[in-house]
Amino acid sequence: MATASGVSTPLQLPSTRRVGGCCSRPGSPAPGKNAFPRRAAGGAPAGQSCHQFLPLKQSGRLQAAVLPVTPPLLDDEEKRKQMCEDYGFKQIGEQLPDNVTLKDVMDSLPKEVFEIDDLKSWTSVLISVTSYALGIFLISKAPWYLLPLAWAWTGTAVTGFFVIGHDCAHKSFSRNKLVEDIVGTLAFLPLIYPYEPWRFKHDRHHAKTNMLIEDTAWQPVFSKEFRTNSLLRKAMIFAYGPIRPWMSIAHWLIWHFDLKKFRPNELPRVKISLASVLAFMAIGWPLIILKSGIAGWFKFWFMPWMMSTFTMVHHTAPHIPFKTSEEWNAAQAQLNGTVHCDYPRWIEILCHDINVHVPHHISPRIPSYNLRAAYDSIKQNWGKYINEASWNWRLMKTILTKCHVYDKDRYYVPFDEVAPEESQPIKFLKKVMPDYA
């Protein structure tokens, strides 16, 4: 249910509260706001207790308290429906059984979804080139008050280039691997993404999706880091709150330009990609400035680039865990831990259906134009385990205001619960962001 502030509250469950040796029974007043279920490593029930963070401070250090509560929510259909309402989902899937393997899911897919069709691949290139050219034309002609719409179109169109390069990196664009490397490198250039460094790191994301520490895409904030000092804490609150949609820019900078992050055998290809990006910046940017000035560089390149930041809904939700390597299960991470999110049709077309993301994580070798057919098959065979949403404000509000500090049992603890005095940006988002689902 929505509160007066428009923020969905977690399900309230009966609990026995123990803090500092003092115990109160269900029904007694309790300072803690919310009760969350505990999930065990493989998704099985783990008894009757879980940890809940309380905003306690001793000698300037954040503390945690233990609140025993009831078994997992994902076992109960009615509670999953309530979580859907609270989080902005259409469906929250049941826990995938431990004995199901990723190969089981992959083997259920029709063989034709893995087939590469050169005509469809190059059609996607044509769609991206024409839509991007149209976007540049719209920017050149739009009055100032329509520029945000033109930037949104152009940024989405250039995201299509990224998806083409993404298919090339997964060897699902062409049967000719040299063609894939050339097309992938060129497709990434408008976004100044170095193709090979990204490919090496993205492969690791697929191999270790939502594995704690190891996943190279998103990671939750760690409690130890959050406690380090006030300045870093405030920076984290902004980064995972108001500016989170643009944090992929920081990720791009940190992960792809540091040669120390790559193996010696990877370095030759990495250096070629970095040289290509630097050449694009050294030649392309001066040409833009020469033709239209610094203002033109902001207008025609920088603003569409800022609007081409990539989705964060694919693996981030309060009920989707990060797990250690010892607990991690590939099938659960890829099927249960990936979100299918529907966007407006024009976005799906310009982005080549990349948000049909579940089959892409079952097998990255599925070309983007076959993702919908693969998803139809997955829904038929594994539909009750799938997480589904349509893009909506409540979904975004949930991610920005709830998915923060890692906790083994609760998965995420919101900043404003751990450090309420410093979490004004999160409270501001809760107040001003729409709650429409």
Side-chain angles (χ1 to χ4, degrees):
M1 291 177 17
T3 64
S5 67
V7 181
S8 299
T9 56
L11 292 168
Q12 302 294 321
L13 301 175
S15 64
T16 301
R17 185 178 188 276
R18 184 181 300 276
V19 178
C22 213
C23 185
S24 11
R25 296 292 176 190
S28 302
K33 279 187 177 181
N34 306 314
F36 285 77
R38 178 176 183 174
R39 289 103 163 164
Q48 302 286 322
S49 68
C50 93
H51 295 92
Q52 175 167 350
F53 280 67
L54 294 180
L56 304 178
K57 289 190 176 183
Q58 293 181 3
S59 303
R61 298 184 64 185
L62 298 163
Q63 302 288 320
V66 177
L67 299 183
V69 293
T70 55
L73 289 180
L74 295 185
D75 290 350
D76 189 302
E77 182 179 358
E78 288 304 314
K79 289 174 181 175
R80 286 200 309 274
K81 288 180 180 178
Q82 184 62 55
M83 290 164 70
C84 284
E85 172 67 19
D86 289 343
Y87 300 157
F89 276 74
K90 291 193 295 187
Q91 175 179 305
I92 288 177
E94 297 178 22
Q95 183 72 41
L96 188 70
D98 291 345
N99 62 348
V100 176
T101 68
L102 190 58
K103 186 177 185 300
D104 294 332
V105 183
M106 199 182 307
D107 287 348
S108 71
L109 292 170
K111 290 179 180 173
E112 54 265 27
V113 303
F114 296 95
E115 294 175 0
I116 293 173
D117 185 321
D118 289 332
L119 179 60
K120 290 180 179 178
S121 293
W122 288 103
T123 298
S124 67
V125 174
L126 180 62
I127 289 170
S128 288
V129 170
T130 54
S131 59
Y132 181 65
L134 175 60
I136 296 298
F137 175 78
L138 292 174
I139 292 173
S140 69
K141 299 297 182 183
W144 66 267
Y145 51 87
L146 291 180
L147 277 175
L149 296 178
W151 288 330
W153 172 276
T154 311
T156 306
V158 82
T159 301
F161 283 123
F162 187 91
V163 178
I164 291 167
H166 175 267
D167 269 15
C168 291
H170 285 303
K171 309 305 177 188
S172 60
F173 179 85
S174 171
R175 295 175 186 86
N176 187 312
K177 303 313 170 190
L178 177 60
V179 168
E180 285 187 320
D181 288 343
I182 293 172
V183 172
T185 298
L186 294 175
F188 272 24
L189 284 185
L191 288 157
I192 58 174
Y193 255 82
Y195 172 73
E196 294 289 357
W198 179 86
R199 180 171 72 86
F200 291 134
K201 295 306 177 188
H202 188 68
D203 283 349
R204 186 169 156 191
H205 162 62
H206 274 273
K208 302 183 177 184
T209 302
N210 277 34
M211 186 187 290
L212 205 62
I213 308 293
E214 300 296 332
D215 191 346
T216 57
W218 289 98
Q219 287 285 333
V221 172
F222 292 95
S223 179
K224 182 178 179 180
E225 295 173 336
F226 193 68
R227 292 197 305 262
T228 303
N229 63 69
S230 178
L231 185 61
L232 180 60
R233 190 154 53 246
K234 289 175 181 177
M236 288 180 175
I237 289 170
F238 269 99
Y240 280 75
I243 65 170
R244 187 165 187 168
W246 292 277
M247 277 298 289
S248 60
I249 296 172
H251 182 273
W252 156 81
L253 187 61
I254 292 168
W255 276 102
H256 303 106
F257 294 88
D258 184 356
L259 294 179
K260 295 177 183 176
K261 293 185 181 294
F262 301 95
R263 301 184 185 96
N265 65 313
E266 296 171 339
L267 286 177
R269 299 179 74 92
V270 167
K271 289 177 180 177
I272 291 172
S273 290
L274 293 178
S276 300
V277 167
L278 293 174
F280 177 84
M281 295 166 66
I283 299 170
W285 285 2
L287 287 176
I288 296 171
I289 294 169
L290 183 65
K291 182 69 176 177
S292 56
I294 294 291
W297 179 82
F298 275 95
K299 182 178 177 180
F300 288 100
W301 184 84
F302 182 77
M303 291 308 298
W305 183 72
M306 287 291 288
M307 293 201 176
S308 67
T309 55
F310 309 111
T311 181
M312 56 190 169
V313 305
H314 289 160
H315 308 284
T316 308
H319 67 282
I320 294 178
F322 275 83
K323 293 188 177 181
T324 63
S325 57
E326 294 80 13
E327 300 169 327
W328 189 80
N329 176 296
Q332 290 172 358
Q334 311 297 10
L335 184 62
N336 265 153
T338 303
V339 176
H340 171 90
C341 188
D342 291 315
Y343 283 76
R345 189 64 190 136
W346 69 274
I347 294 178
E348 302 281 18
I349 292 170
L350 295 190
C351 293
H352 310 301
D353 285 334
I354 194 57
N355 294 300
V356 186
H357 210 62
V358 176
H360 175 63
H361 267 264
I362 300 305
S363 174
R365 290 299 181 93
I366 300 173
S368 57
Y369 44 78
N370 289 336
L371 289 174
R372 289 195 179 275
Y375 188 62
D376 289 342
S377 172
I378 291 170
K379 285 193 73 172
Q380 268 191 334
N381 294 299
W382 309 94
K384 67 180 181 179
Y385 303 113
I386 290 172
N387 293 292
E388 283 189 315
S390 291
W391 192 95
N392 64 83
W393 282 108
R394 183 174 299 168
L395 178 67
M396 299 306 295
K397 190 171 189 174
T398 296
I399 294 171
L400 296 180
T401 63
K402 294 181 184 292
C403 298
H404 299 145
V405 182
Y406 170 74
D407 178 71
K408 177 180 171 59
D409 299 316
R410 288 179 54 183
Y411 304 166
Y412 291 105
V413 182
F415 285 139
D416 59 338
E417 187 176 330
V418 183
E421 295 176 1
E422 296 174 288
S423 297
Q424 294 305 320
I426 304 304
K427 295 174 183 178
F428 176 77
L429 290 178
K430 287 184 174 181
K431 184 176 181 180
V432 302
M433 283 188 75
D435 195 44
Y436 304 131

